[in-house]
Amino acid sequence: MAADQEPHLVDIHVGSRVRMRRKAMGLSQTQLADSVGITFQQLQKYERGANRISASKLHALAHVLTTSVSWFFDGLPD
């Protein structure tokens, strides 16, 4: 991401939902990252919304976090 670009609202929202669910399940960033095949640094970027989560990674995260893909979008403003 270029220095002058802010993360998109949707990426921030989805990332915050990943963080919320991970913490509720008592998982560390390393544990969750390892379970979906990414580095903990990449997971940190996802959780901040700095990087977009691909559909396949979002599906994997939903599986590990025992939730639906649509749950990550709940509460997203229109």
Side-chain angles (χ1 to χ4, degrees):
M1 178 181 324
D4 61 342
Q5 289 184 327
E6 292 293 320
H8 193 278
L9 175 65
V10 173
D11 299 324
I12 293 170
H13 180 83
V14 170
S16 70
R17 299 282 287 178
V18 169
R19 181 175 43 253
M20 179 183 3
R21 184 69 178 161
R22 173 183 62 77
K23 287 184 172 186
M25 294 185 68
L27 295 172
S28 70
Q29 287 178 323
T30 301
Q31 289 171 315
L32 180 55
D34 287 348
S35 68
V36 295
I38 60 175
T39 64
F40 83 91
Q41 293 96 335
Q42 183 63 44
L43 183 64
Q44 287 176 327
K45 291 177 183 180
Y46 286 165
E47 289 186 353
R48 287 194 322 265
N51 285 5
R52 288 199 171 136
I53 304 173
S54 70
S56 58
K57 286 299 179 202
L58 191 59
H59 184 266
L61 288 164
H63 177 75
V64 171
L65 296 173
T66 62
T67 192
S68 66
V69 170
S70 65
W71 181 85
F72 296 109
F73 297 93
D74 287 352
L76 188 65
D78 287 334

